[in-house]
Amino acid sequence: MAGKINIYTDGGSQDNPGPGGWGAVIEQDGQKRELSGREARTTNNRMEITAAIKGLEATPEGSNVTVHSDSRYLVNTMTRGWKRNVNTDLWDRLDALVANRSVAWQWVRGHAGHPQNERADQLASGRAPVVEDSDEPRLTHLDEQGRASMVDVGWKPETVREAVARGYVSMQPETLALIRGGGVEKGDVLSVARIAGVMAAKRTSDLIPLCHPLPLDRVHVELDLDEIDSRVVITATARTSAKTGVEMEALTAVSVAALTVYDMCKAVDRGMRIEGVRLARKTGGQSGDIVLE
């Protein structure tokens, strides 16, 4: 049976409301994990609650957990029944997590020298990188001997995760006009590429070594014609309820959709370029939400 888990949380925002972040440090059986996330517009209190939510989401149901926070608002609401006039959406999420765990709440004085509370503050303010289960950053797909290995995610809870990836295929304006007008000899380029992207996302673990097979809840691939820059813009969204992220599925969908566009049009345009394949954003999971564009 797993030992007691301690979670140290902190959150805050600039201007209140304004840009903000949250951080959580999880200690269990001598190991430490660190989580953090940012939001473009939020409040101090929302980030304090979010830090507790994200920390508890990283623990299995039935766990014995103590949450340490310097937020009287958070701790007293959970222990003394302070009124919940605002942030009801977050309180509902927190209550659901607490209902499936044995959770104690401990108020700690902020900036009083407690190392884990200070670390949570650094994570929340963005002053420190996230480091999971180690004192030094490392590649997750390498074991202690530096050998390639599949990451063990068995200890993680299943959460809803979503990723959005983008990329584009640049081409001659005449080629773009052929696609728009359905004049490509091989058929409907956009429809075929869309299906190819969805199929590729479902086969990601067969294509990428050490990638976990995921039960995909949704894969959506969009292809838009950009007349100004003469390119097909591809956006893929992948969603799962699983123990690990779905970024690779979204990126694979974009890549294969782009390759399909290239394959169907290469007879008329050998100069096409597949460019800008990247992650746009991800949500869910222990590392928190990441918005890159």
Side-chain angles (χ1 to χ4, degrees):
M1 181 177 179
K4 185 175 181 179
I5 303 172
N6 286 290
I7 304 176
Y8 302 86
T9 68
D10 200 9
S13 69
Q14 300 175 15
D15 300 327
N16 200 33
W22 59 268
V25 179
I26 304 172
E27 289 187 332
Q28 179 182 10
D29 300 330
Q31 294 189 342
K32 181 173 71 173
R33 286 177 277 151
E34 298 180 349
L35 319 174
S36 68
R38 307 289 297 172
E39 290 190 12
R41 184 171 178 80
T42 187
T43 66
N44 290 333
N45 287 339
R46 286 189 69 83
M47 290 295 91
E48 295 281 7
I49 304 170
T50 298
I53 290 172
K54 295 296 186 178
L56 288 172
E57 284 179 346
T59 64
E61 292 187 2
S63 300
N64 185 6
V65 184
T66 298
V67 178
H68 306 258
S69 171
D70 62 6
S71 169
R72 293 186 184 276
Y73 173 70
L74 171 64
V75 174
N76 288 343
T77 300
M78 297 304 294
T79 60
R80 298 186 180 182
W82 280 16
K83 292 184 178 179
R84 305 180 177 192
N85 297 323
V86 294
N87 303 317
T88 55
D89 58 326
L90 296 181
W91 291 124
D92 289 345
R93 289 174 59 188
L94 188 56
D95 286 342
L97 291 164
V98 170
N100 294 318
R101 294 159 180 81
S102 176
V103 181
W105 299 88
Q106 179 67 52
W107 180 80
V108 296
R109 187 176 301 278
H111 308 291
H114 191 288
Q116 304 306 353
N117 180 258
E118 295 293 333
R119 179 61 178 172
D121 174 69
Q122 291 175 350
L123 292 167
S125 62
R127 299 196 306 270
V130 176
V131 180
E132 293 194 23
D133 300 326
S134 173
D135 292 330
E136 297 293 336
R138 63 184 179 89
L139 297 175
T140 57
H141 284 74
L142 298 180
D143 63 16
E144 297 300 329
Q145 288 73 44
R147 299 171 302 191
S149 64
M150 195 172 192
V151 176
D152 181 3
V153 297
W155 55 271
K156 291 185 177 182
E158 291 188 356
T159 60
V160 176
R161 303 163 184 264
E162 185 174 274
V164 178
R166 295 194 176 97
Y168 51 88
V169 184
S170 297
M171 60 190 63
Q172 295 296 324
E174 296 79 6
T175 309
L176 196 71
L178 279 175
I179 294 175
R180 178 180 292 279
V184 176
E185 184 177 351
K186 288 189 175 182
D188 185 343
V189 174
L190 301 184
S191 294
V192 175
R194 186 178 299 111
I195 294 172
V198 173
M199 293 176 63
K202 295 164 66 176
R203 298 295 298 274
T204 299
S205 62
D206 294 330
L207 301 171
I208 308 298
L210 310 179
C211 190
H212 293 84
L214 297 181
L216 292 173
D217 299 327
R218 178 176 184 260
V219 179
H220 182 68
V221 179
E222 296 180 0
L223 293 95
D224 298 304
L225 302 184
D226 181 353
E227 304 282 359
I228 296 176
D229 293 319
S230 188
R231 61 188 185 180
V232 177
V233 179
I234 305 168
T235 303
T237 302
R239 184 186 302 151
T240 186
S241 299
K243 296 183 177 183
T244 189
V246 74
E247 299 96 313
M248 292 307 302
E249 283 70 15
L251 288 164
T252 299
V254 169
S255 300
V256 172
L259 286 168
T260 302
V261 172
Y262 184 96
D263 178 63
M264 296 186 71
C265 301
K266 67 181 185 294
V268 297
D269 190 348
R270 296 287 183 178
M272 287 181 295
R273 300 185 307 276
I274 296 174
E275 301 175 313
V277 177
R278 75 277 189 191
L279 178 70
R281 68 176 182 270
K282 67 173 285 290
T283 60
Q286 296 182 4
S287 60
D289 299 346
I290 297 175
V291 179
L292 301 174
E293 59 184 59

